[in-house]
Amino acid sequence: MSGMRFLYSNGVVSCSPDAPPVTAFLESLPGSYTTTRTHENGTTLLFWERHLKRLSNSTRILLNSNPELMFKANKKIPLLFSPFSVTSSLKWESRIQSLVSNSLNQVLPIALKERSNGEELAVTALVSGDIEKLKAMKNVGGGGDDDNGAFQVLDLHLHIGSYIPPVFGIEESGAHLALVGRGRDLADAKYSDWVRLRKPLEKSRPPSVTELLLSNDGDRILEGCITNFFVICQRDKSEAEGKYLDDYNNVNSVEVQTAPISDGVLPGVIRQLVIEVCHSKGIPVCEVAPSWEKHRLWEEAFVTNSLRVLQHVETIKVPQPWESLESKSFEGISWIEKKFQGPGIITKVIQKGIMERASTESHPLNESI
């Protein structure tokens, strides 16, 4: 299947060359989405229940606060309607799960048959609003309980492509990061328009950099464009009181740091798993944006997302001064670089803990989705 892609949209399955790359797919449709992949040679879907919950939450958030991000703009028919009032409920989650599962059961078996041995499948589910259905409905939006009305205007689109996961722990598989832009708006929902909004950041990408980091002040690092960001930092006990997610009264000399959701970062599925694994292993973890001013205290770093799962960081580049990003491409920027020596002990412990959970939290593909 190497290079093969499948698209499911409006009840029709198409395959490459008719199916676009996933980036083009996301740019072509508005809406909320989630991406995961198969695991163990195509036998399970990684953390599928968590992804469905995140997708239902993102859909609800966008409908209630920014419905224009769910519907494709039409110059002749402006989107003049009030936000919805979708409630957070098990019924809503169940409806989104049913919408995704019914579609995935149509296309995933086809993709699995074409999958080459050793490859996994990257699965992207996108929930989009249908403007024609919206026009045909009456009394949608403008207050009240809109769960049923909102669900009736939603469509589900699926993109499936081959994916070869990087091997964890070897030097060639490490991430190379550069801090190049400001944080995103509405980070608590995952939506496709972010693919377009992040494109201008590419002008500042140095050669060989594999992920772009975001910060609002050039010091406190929030996340990557497609990843959450973590450091293992030497612990500053003078600043520790009240900041820890658990009450650790031990002699650990380091802590895991990652920006809190309240700072405007995506509530990533693997991000949450990292925090849970740290709790279970007794590793101090602090939700605070890692400060570049203290980068000399950083002993390890890694990024997470649902395809890579956890990837250790080899290098981080930060521009000096921060303001130089406003008008220059990477050639005209002076960079300070920090290097790491492969995955450290704590990074390895966390990665192992996540993969142990994958064996119990992933959905077997010999069962109906």
Side-chain angles (χ1 to χ4, degrees), residues 215-277:
S215 171
N216 288 328
D217 59 10
D219 175 46
R220 295 178 302 119
I221 300 177
L222 300 174
E223 61 182 343
C225 281
I226 59 172
T227 61
N228 288 113
F229 174 70
F230 297 79
V231 301
I232 287 84
C233 184
Q234 293 178 25
R235 200 169 173 184
D236 188 341
K237 294 184 178 179
S238 66
E239 300 180 0
E241 186 175 356
K243 289 187 177 180
Y244 294 99
L245 299 177
D246 282 322
D247 184 19
Y248 290 102
N249 294 313
N250 54 34
V251 295
N252 286 320
S253 61
V254 296
E255 67 185 11
V256 177
Q257 295 180 351
T258 192
I261 300 301
S262 59
D263 276 3
V265 302
L266 184 74
V269 168
I270 307 300
R271 176 191 181 277
Q272 179 60 32
L273 280 161
V274 169
I275 292 172
E276 292 174 14
V277 167

Side-chain angles (χ1 to χ4, degrees), residues 10-45:
N10 297 321
V12 177
V13 178
S14 56
C15 61
S16 47
D18 297 323
V22 67
T23 300
F25 164 73
L26 290 172
E27 286 185 292
S28 69
L29 292 165
S32 58
Y33 77 99
T34 193
T35 297
T36 187
R37 66 169 172 87
T38 60
H39 179 51
E40 295 181 330
N41 205 24
T43 59
T44 63
L45 269 179

Side-chain angles (χ1 to χ4, degrees), residues 170-366:
I170 62 174
E171 184 174 348
E172 294 78 7
S173 67
H176 298 271
L177 315 180
L179 185 62
V180 302
R182 298 189 179 277
R184 70 179 86 187
D185 295 326
L186 199 63
D188 52 349
K190 189 165 186 173
Y191 57 97
S192 60
D193 200 42
W194 173 241
V195 176
R196 177 187 62 82
L197 293 173
R198 71 183 186 231
K199 272 188 171 182
L201 300 177
E202 291 296 327
K203 69 180 178 64
S204 300
R205 181 191 290 266
S208 77
V209 163
T210 58
E211 170 65 320
L212 304 177
L213 294 175
L214 307 175
S215 171
N216 288 328
D217 59 10
D219 175 46
R220 295 178 302 119
I221 300 177
L222 300 174
E223 61 182 343
C225 281
I226 59 172
T227 61
N228 288 113
F229 174 70
F230 297 79
V231 301
I232 287 84
C233 184
Q234 293 178 25
R235 200 169 173 184
D236 188 341
K237 294 184 178 179
S238 66
E239 300 180 0
E241 186 175 356
K243 289 187 177 180
Y244 294 99
L245 299 177
D246 282 322
D247 184 19
Y248 290 102
N249 294 313
N250 54 34
V251 295
N252 286 320
S253 61
V254 296
E255 67 185 11
V256 177
Q257 295 180 351
T258 192
I261 300 301
S262 59
D263 276 3
V265 302
L266 184 74
V269 168
I270 307 300
R271 176 191 181 277
Q272 179 60 32
L273 280 161
V274 169
I275 292 172
E276 292 174 14
V277 167
C278 286
H279 289 175
S280 69
K281 302 291 185 183
I283 300 170
V285 55
C286 182
E287 283 192 289
V288 61
S291 170
W292 178 253
E293 288 186 358
K294 298 182 179 181
H295 71 271
R296 291 178 180 83
L297 299 177
W298 298 355
E299 297 186 356
E300 307 171 34
F302 59 88
V303 291
T304 61
N305 71 13
S306 293
L307 292 182
R308 308 178 195 184
V309 183
L310 187 152
Q311 183 180 30
H312 76 274
V313 171
E314 292 282 343
T315 61
I316 302 175
K317 289 182 170 69
V318 171
Q320 294 294 318
W322 167 247
E323 293 74 18
S324 64
L325 289 172
E326 297 296 329
S327 59
K328 298 178 180 179
S329 62
F330 72 86
E331 295 96 338
I333 299 172
S334 296
W335 300 89
I336 296 176
E337 183 177 75
K338 180 174 180 64
K339 296 182 178 181
F340 298 90
Q341 300 300 316
I345 294 175
I346 293 179
T347 299
K348 291 178 180 178
V349 169
I350 295 171
Q351 190 270 347
K352 182 179 179 181
I354 291 173
M355 299 319 293
E356 287 172 349
R357 292 197 174 207
S359 64
T360 59
E361 287 196 41
S362 297
H363 189 95
L365 293 181
N366 58 359

Side-chain angles (χ1 to χ4, degrees), residues 83-99:
F84 293 79
S85 299
V86 178
T87 58
S88 178
S89 66
L90 291 176
K91 182 179 179 181
W92 175 256
E93 290 183 15
S94 177
R95 282 182 154 184
I96 295 297
Q97 179 177 349
S98 177
L99 180 67

Side-chain angles (χ1 to χ4, degrees), residues 30-32 59 62-63 66-72 127-129 154:
S32 58
T59 305
L62 293 179
L63 287 170
N66 294 78
E68 67 276 7
L69 294 174
M70 289 293 298
F71 295 87
K72 197 160 190 174
V127 178
S128 184
L154 299 180

Side-chain angles (χ1 to χ4, degrees), residues 74 77 130-138 153:
N74 187 326
I77 310 170
D130 187 318
I131 190 66
E132 296 301 324
K133 292 179 181 178
L134 183 63
K135 286 166 53 184
M137 292 190 64
K138 298 179 180 180
V153 302

